[in-house]
């Protein structure tokens, strides 16, 4: 099958590499054309415009930064080019945004499947992303051969909106777990407790999550470069979760402080760095300015 992929950033670029390694014919488009170069060397066809890419393929994969950007691409730039084509929307957007997109794509003669993923560049390159889908069951089955290139076990959770809700719920856990661990780590260090002694206790408890060890070295060294998931995206997704949760009647007051803290990442220059740079913000008076 011929695929057109829109958005060749951190995750999108890795997905493109995986599809090429699996032998798919791939057209790529990005707002920054220089990102096409490495993919072109691997066999991708670079498109000058979204319309050109869409015209070459029946399957259109979007991996863009947010809902408004995705909507603008599909409904304002490609528009009628969606007729007879299937959009697999993999970027993390709001559940309501996804449902609105599905309706709009359908009105233009296209089909729509949301397929957000848990995992980043390493998992995408290995084809081991955790992929959750929302949309018609028949469409999910038709897309399965393509989805299996990216995930060993793609799962359909329900209609459009369901997979996005699950994805936002998972990313809320990323933010909350990272925040909780960061505060605990700072406190034990400032109290003179050896980090490894604390970690041994934590690892042997029901409180342990593997992400703690995954991010420990970065937080101890203050090296948040080469991100798998940038801080700006974590903040965006947490805000989307809060909005969805409030629309469902949930009490989200506990998240307001964390969102407020993450707003400080922008002036601190942490937005493009790995999301565990949150550790620099929880440091309080030691300040993000002291981080490398």
């Amino acid at each position: 099958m011929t695929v057109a992929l829109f958005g060749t950033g951190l995750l999108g670029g890795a997905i493109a590499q995986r599809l090429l390694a699996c032998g798919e014919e791939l057209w790529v488009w990005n707002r920054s054309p220089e990102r096409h170069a490495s993919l072109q060397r691997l066999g991708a066809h670079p498109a000058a415009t979204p319309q050109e890419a869409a015209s070459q393929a029946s399957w259109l994969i979007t991996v863009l930064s947010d809902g408004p950007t995705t909507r603008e691409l599909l409904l304002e730039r490609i528009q009628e080019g969606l007729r007879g084509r299937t959009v697999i929307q993999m970027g993390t957007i709001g559940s309501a945004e996804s449902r609105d997109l599905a309706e709009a794509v359908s009105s233009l003669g296209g089909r729509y499947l949301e397929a957000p993923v848990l995992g980043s560049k390493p998992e995408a390159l290995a084809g081991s992303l955790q992929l959750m889908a929302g949309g018609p069951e028949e469409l999910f089955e038709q897309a399965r051969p393509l989805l299996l290139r990216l995930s060993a076990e793609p799962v359909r959770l329900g209609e459009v909106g369901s997979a996005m809700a699950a994805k936002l719920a998972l990313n809320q856990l990323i933010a909350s777990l990272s925040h909780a661990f960061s505060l605990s780590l700072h406190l034990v260090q400032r109290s003179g407790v050896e980090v490894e002694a604390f970690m041994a206790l934590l690892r042997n408890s029901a409180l342990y999550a593997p992400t703690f060890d995954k991010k420990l070295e970065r937080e101890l060294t203050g090296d948040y470069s080469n991100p798998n998931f940038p801080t700006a995206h974590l903040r965006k997704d947490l805000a989307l979760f809060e909005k969805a949760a409030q629309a469902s009647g949930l009490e989200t007051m506990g998240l307001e402080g964390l969102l407020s803290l993450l707003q400080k990442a922008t002036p601190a220059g942490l937005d493009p760095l790995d999301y565990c740079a949150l550790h620099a913000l929880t440091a309080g008076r030691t300040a993000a300015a002291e981080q490398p």
Side-chain angles (χ1 to χ4, degrees):
M1 57 182 67
T2 303
V3 179
L5 187 143
F6 304 87
T8 55
L10 188 67
L11 178 60
I15 289 173
Q17 289 182 55
R18 172 66 181 176
L19 292 175
L20 289 167
C22 290
E24 304 292 356
E25 183 175 359
L26 184 69
W27 286 77
V28 293
W29 177 85
N30 192 283
R31 285 173 295 180
S32 302
E34 62 271 13
R35 288 187 171 178
H36 295 165
S38 61
L39 295 173
Q40 189 173 2
R41 288 192 292 270
L42 295 174
H45 307 291
T49 66
Q51 296 90 333
E52 180 188 8
S55 70
Q56 302 297 323
S58 297
W59 298 88
L60 314 182
I61 296 178
T62 57
V63 198
L64 300 174
S65 58
D66 55 37
T69 302
T70 305
R71 186 177 182 87
E72 188 270 339
L73 170 85
L74 294 174
L75 306 184
E76 297 180 26
R77 303 196 66 173
I78 298 178
Q79 286 188 326
E80 295 299 327
L82 295 173
R83 185 168 301 280
R85 294 176 170 83
T86 298
V87 174
I88 300 179
Q89 204 300 105
M90 300 187 72
T92 303
I93 65 176
S95 299
E97 286 179 305
S98 192
R99 287 190 293 268
D100 288 345
L101 263 182
E103 184 177 340
V105 168
S106 178
S107 72
L108 289 168
R111 302 186 301 172
Y112 180 94
L113 186 74
E114 62 181 17
V117 298
L118 193 63
S120 189
K121 183 176 180 179
E123 293 80 11
L125 292 174
S128 60
L129 292 166
Q130 290 183 262
L131 188 150
M132 57 213 89
E137 185 171 3
E138 180 182 3
L139 181 55
F140 173 70
E141 291 301 328
Q142 291 172 1
R144 183 185 290 274
L146 180 56
L147 302 181
L148 284 169
R149 300 296 201 189
L150 307 174
S151 173
E153 194 173 352
V155 58
R156 176 182 176 269
L157 297 179
E159 297 303 320
V160 172
S162 60
M164 284 301 165
K167 169 62 172 172
L168 292 176
L170 289 165
N171 281 16
Q172 186 273 140
L173 285 172
I174 292 174
S176 294
L177 285 171
S178 298
H179 180 232
F181 178 65
S182 174
L183 281 173
S184 292
L185 183 59
H186 277 309
L187 181 62
V188 297
Q189 285 184 290
R190 293 184 187 184
S191 301
V193 177
E194 290 187 3
V195 170
E196 189 49 41
F198 169 71
M199 290 303 300
L201 291 167
L202 180 57
R203 292 184 191 111
N204 288 320
S205 76
L207 306 173
Y208 178 70
T211 187
F212 299 156
D213 268 311
K214 186 176 180 181
K215 298 299 182 181
L216 179 61
E217 184 176 357
R218 280 182 177 269
E219 293 179 344
L220 292 177
T221 62
D223 181 4
Y224 310 118
S225 60
N226 301 313
N228 285 331
F229 184 44
T231 304
H233 288 186
L234 182 67
R235 180 177 63 243
K236 181 264 293 184
D237 292 353
L238 188 61
L240 288 174
F241 174 88
E242 181 187 46
K243 183 177 180 180
Q246 289 174 347
S248 296
L250 300 177
E251 174 55 74
T252 60
M253 183 174 62
L255 292 181
E256 293 174 7
L258 179 51
L259 275 168
S260 179
L261 181 66
L262 284 168
Q263 292 293 340
K264 297 181 180 181
T266 302
L270 303 177
D271 275 359
L273 302 180
D274 191 86
Y275 68 85
C276 68
L278 171 63
H279 193 59
L281 300 176
T282 59
R285 61 177 176 270
T286 62
E290 295 183 12
Q291 301 297 325

